[in-house]
Amino acid sequence: MERTNHKNKSHQKKNGSETEKLNLKREVGLVSAVSLIGGIIIGSGIFMSPQYVLANVGSPGASLVIWAVCGIVSTLAALSYVELGTIIQESGGDFIYVLRIYGAIPAFFVAFTFVLVVRPMSNTATALCFSEYAVAPFYPGCTPPELVVKGLAVIGILVVSIFNILNVCFTMAIQVVFMVAKVVGLLIIAIGGVVTLAQGNFGSLQNTETAFQNTQLAVSPIVMALYQGLWSFAGWYNLNNVTEELKNPEVRSAYFLLLLLGPPVL
């Protein structure tokens, strides 16, 4: 995302010379902020993880339990980040929190790991998932060539990076459009599922015996299923990376609290 600096009107004098304080422009409003979080959470994970969750735990009932646990953990973590974002109103997310609380050395390791491992691997996984879905219609009945999938993934990363560098407002507008498209897609799937259940087609969920039949209770399958589920929810922490670009961050955080607490209460 673009980091646009502007000159602060007030000048500070230090050692007889004038210095200008630089601040980030507050251009991210409520709709853009919600779209940023929603657009990242509703990514490739939610469309690919369900099959892996079910494959690891072995039964539909156990997979629903896994999804419930992942949802509760992610909600609690997001609520913690809302509080951190209102107390420490600086951009940087994990890095700035570790820096302010534990000091420079732990913060350096956080930044080092994030820049060289976490973010590149996350972007790569997302780009590859997008590429596989994008090229699948052109290769019906067969596996797409690996070179085509990886090539399109590289192009996707470059295009997204260029858009983020050029203009933050334009990027947020694109984010809103794609978030709406993804929400519509999920609503179609969810409504289809509700209609199927309303028609009495419960399948293996008719009773507990069939719902939890063949459940894998070993540590490894459960951990892998939890990883896949949490990956689908990943993204709730991204807004804290741009706290200084939010308009009225305290107000925005209050709205996010209502959004997070609303579904469980309703």
Side-chain angles (χ1 to χ4, degrees):
M1 180 176 292
E2 176 194 46
R3 297 291 181 268
T4 307
N5 296 332
H6 75 283
K7 296 180 180 179
N8 192 289
K9 293 181 180 178
S10 61
H11 295 273
Q12 300 174 338
K13 289 187 177 181
K14 186 178 180 181
N15 299 327
S17 62
E18 278 193 349
T19 59
E20 297 175 348
K21 186 179 178 181
L22 299 178
N23 293 319
L24 294 170
K25 284 186 177 181
R26 296 190 178 274
E27 296 182 334
V28 180
L30 177 62
V31 175
S32 298
V34 173
S35 299
L36 177 64
I37 295 179
I40 294 175
I41 293 178
I42 309 172
S44 56
I46 190 59
F47 296 103
M48 299 194 70
S49 291
Q51 58 182 322
Y52 296 111
V53 173
L54 183 59
N56 278 287
V57 295
S59 68
S63 67
L64 291 178
V65 173
I66 292 293
W67 283 111
V69 170
C70 292
I72 292 171
V73 171
S74 298
T75 300
L76 294 176
L79 290 173
S80 301
Y81 253 54
V82 169
E83 185 177 3
L84 280 172
T86 55
I87 295 173
I88 305 175
Q89 296 183 16
E90 299 179 66
S91 295
D94 295 344
F95 169 77
I96 201 66
Y97 302 145
V98 173
L99 176 65
R100 298 300 178 219
I101 297 171
Y102 299 107
I105 295 178
F108 167 77
F109 286 108
V110 170
F112 183 85
T113 305
F114 187 83
V115 172
L116 294 184
V117 180
V118 177
R119 181 56 66 186
M121 297 303 174
S122 175
N123 289 342
T124 301
T126 302
L128 286 172
C129 292
F130 157 77
S131 182
E132 287 181 6
Y133 276 107
V135 302
F138 300 98
Y139 296 91
C142 63
T143 303
E146 186 175 345
L147 181 61
V148 175
V149 173
K150 291 183 177 180
L152 184 59
V154 171
I155 294 173
I157 293 175
L158 289 176
V159 170
V160 171
S161 301
I162 292 171
F163 282 161
N164 277 276
I165 292 171
L166 290 178
N167 188 283
V168 65
C169 293
F170 178 66
T171 303
M172 295 311 302
I174 295 177
Q175 185 74 46
V176 171
V177 173
F178 277 98
M179 190 201 72
V180 171
K182 287 185 284 188
V183 168
V184 170
L186 286 180
L187 283 176
I188 293 173
I189 297 173
I191 293 173
V194 171
V195 171
T196 301
L197 291 175
Q199 293 173 345
N201 300 319
F202 292 94
S204 57
L205 296 175
Q206 294 239 348
N207 54 68
T208 54
E209 291 185 3
T210 57
F212 290 91
Q213 190 176 6
N214 300 321
T215 299
Q216 302 292 328
L217 296 178
V219 175
S220 180
I222 293 175
V223 170
M224 288 303 299
L226 287 171
Y227 171 79
Q228 292 291 339
L230 290 172
W231 181 44
S232 295
F233 284 101
W236 44 263
Y237 44 80
N238 276 277
L239 188 63
N240 290 50
N241 292 327
V242 294
T243 303
E244 292 180 56
E245 297 179 59
L246 285 176
K247 301 175 183 176
N248 302 322
E250 301 91 346
V251 178
R252 302 294 177 248
S253 297
Y255 279 121
F256 299 143
L257 258 174
L258 291 175
L259 288 172
L260 287 168
L261 294 176
V265 172
L266 296 176

